[in-house]
Amino acid sequence: MFRQLLTPVAGSLALSFLAASAPILVVLVLLGVFRRPAWQAGLAGLLVALAIAVGVWRMPVGLAAASVANGAVFALWPVMWIVVNALLLYNIAVGSGRFDAFRDWIITHIPNDRRVVLVVIGFCFGALLEGVAGFGAPVAITGSLLILVGFPPLEALVFVLIFNTAPVAFGALGVPVTVLGAVTGLPAAALAAMIGRQLPVMALILPLYVIGLYGGWRSIRALWPVPLVAGGSFAAGQFVASNYLDYTLTDVMASLLSLASTLLFLRVWRPAHEEAYALVDLGPRTDSRVPAWQGWLPWIIVSTTVIAWTTFKVARIDELSIHWPGLDKAISITLYDDKPYAAVWAFQPLATSTAILLAALITAAVVGLSPRALIGCVARTWRQAWLAIVTVMLIVGLAYLMNYSGMAYTLGKGVASTGAVFVLLSHFLGWFAVMLSGSDTSGNALFGNLQVVAARQLHLNPLLFAAANSSGGVMGKMISPQNIATGVAVTDLAGQEGRVFARTFVHSVVLTLILGLLIAVQQYLAPWIIPAIAAAR
């Protein structure tokens, strides 16, 4: 059994930390400084990680190859299977005229102001899509809608990436929280409640933050009631659902409440018209026979299908747990008392991603799409998605290699050893893990227990810092190459992921720092806000 090394560089944690950081720095520099395509940055990072894992961490070549293969397969199924099917649904909506109809519904029922549309579509509707699908699909779909009403592609993607944070911790019907509870031994309901006392604050801030970013203080003064209603209603729904109802439905409930509240509010209050922010007139639709209300059909069908699919646990039918050959329990995690590192690929032929495929086919049938047109939509989806698939396989393969080699645990131990400063840095562990893997679930599986161990050693609240791992992770989602690659797939920015990353990175860091201050306040100034279960442990 290969025993992970924590300080392979001269027995020094600091030097080992720097060595373990090298693959990530390569990815960040190639994306943010040299503006290279995400697949090139991912490939370079993976090659550097392989050299360090084998040469410095002394990982056997066979185990290194197996860990990369495990990550690449996970990237294919379920991650990109979700994305491909969500993009197929999007293309069916476009091909059948329902996407244009949705645009017409927006123009008819929302004030003629791109800033208002940014909040309603980018934040409210995007949160609903994140709760149903996730993995970059909301960025692609809402970004396309914003481009359709006049946003430049780069701005549209940056804004929706920033918005695609608040709902992430409860995305995919609460799976990240469930996994966090499993790896930490803390009650999932208590963790959900704690996360639901952190992220609502960020949800309240986000719409105002993005409106300020887009239109400056003048736009905030002119429109503040709209982002306040959107963010406030989402925050209230997120808090109530995660603390008092069912955390698995938090995103769906909060996003529906936010969407309904904002649309109803806009029936009684409208901002003064500003021509500079008017929607772009794209002329009449190619198929004006489609009523505007039918623009909602694809999204209603997919939401209903996924919720029913999950409620009746269809995904568990014929589920297979495949123990990865040559990797499963062939490595011991030194940081966790030499616990054997499992490598089990959960293959669900009827996973939620398959529900999205079913919803796409139902939508095609309901709107009367011909078989030839459907095949055209499939071909278009493949052309859009294939490079994103390659990119995500490289990035997730890199993440798995860093996990199994021990490099990720060296990074975690380095942060955990910072003493009192840990309070301000702990959530950056989740941020780093989600930035790399694109998944809050993976981030929680990797560092969730480390947060608890470090918190107890430092006499901090373990529930608070386990939740902080998940909350911090969502801020890394906006700069995940996986998320960005999926978003650019449906725009003319394909291959320019570096430009999107560079524009988004600073906002990711700023919002993560704000979250860190909130966590410090909850630990030292308002400990009463932490669920009582923590005191009992």
Side-chain angles (χ1 to χ4, degrees), residues 38 46 67 135 159 179 187 204 221 296 325 328 383 386 481:
L46 178 58
S67 62
F135 290 110
F159 295 150
V179 169
L204 186 61
R221 289 195 298 269
W296 282 99
D328 183 40
R383 290 194 298 270
W386 75 267

Side-chain angles (χ1 to χ4, degrees), residues 26-51:
V26 167
V27 173
L28 295 181
V29 169
L30 286 177
L31 277 175
V33 179
F34 293 102
R35 313 289 176 88
R36 303 307 303 166
W39 73 266
Q40 294 180 13
L43 177 60
L46 178 58
L47 292 176
V48 171
L50 280 168

Side-chain angles (χ1 to χ4, degrees), residues 118 237 247 365 533:
L118 178 60
Y247 76 82
I533 186 72

Side-chain angles (χ1 to χ4, degrees), residues 165-181:
T165 50
V168 169
F170 296 100
L173 301 171
V175 171
V177 179
T178 303
V179 169
L180 184 61

Side-chain angles (χ1 to χ4, degrees), residues 78-90 125-141 164 167-168 170-176 251-252 255 298-299 302-307 310 351-357 359 438-439 441 477 482-483 486:
V79 176
M80 292 310 294
W81 184 233
I82 291 177
V83 172
V84 167
N85 289 323
L87 288 179
L88 176 60
L89 177 68
Y90 159 77
F125 184 57
L128 177 61
L129 292 177
E130 177 63 34
V132 171
F135 290 110
V139 175
I141 294 171
N164 188 228
V168 169
F170 296 100
L173 301 171
V175 171
D251 268 0
V252 176
S255 57
W299 324 118
V302 71
S303 300
T304 304
T305 303
V306 169
I307 292 172
T310 304
T352 304
S353 45
T354 306
I356 298 173
L357 173 60
S439 165
T441 302
K477 185 72 180 266
Q482 170 195 302
N483 219 26
T486 303

Side-chain angles (χ1 to χ4, degrees), residues 255-271:
S255 57
L256 287 175
L257 177 62
S258 179
L259 188 60
S261 299
T262 307
L263 290 176
L264 287 173
F265 177 72
L266 289 170
R267 294 179 69 89
V268 298
W269 185 91
R270 288 180 175 245

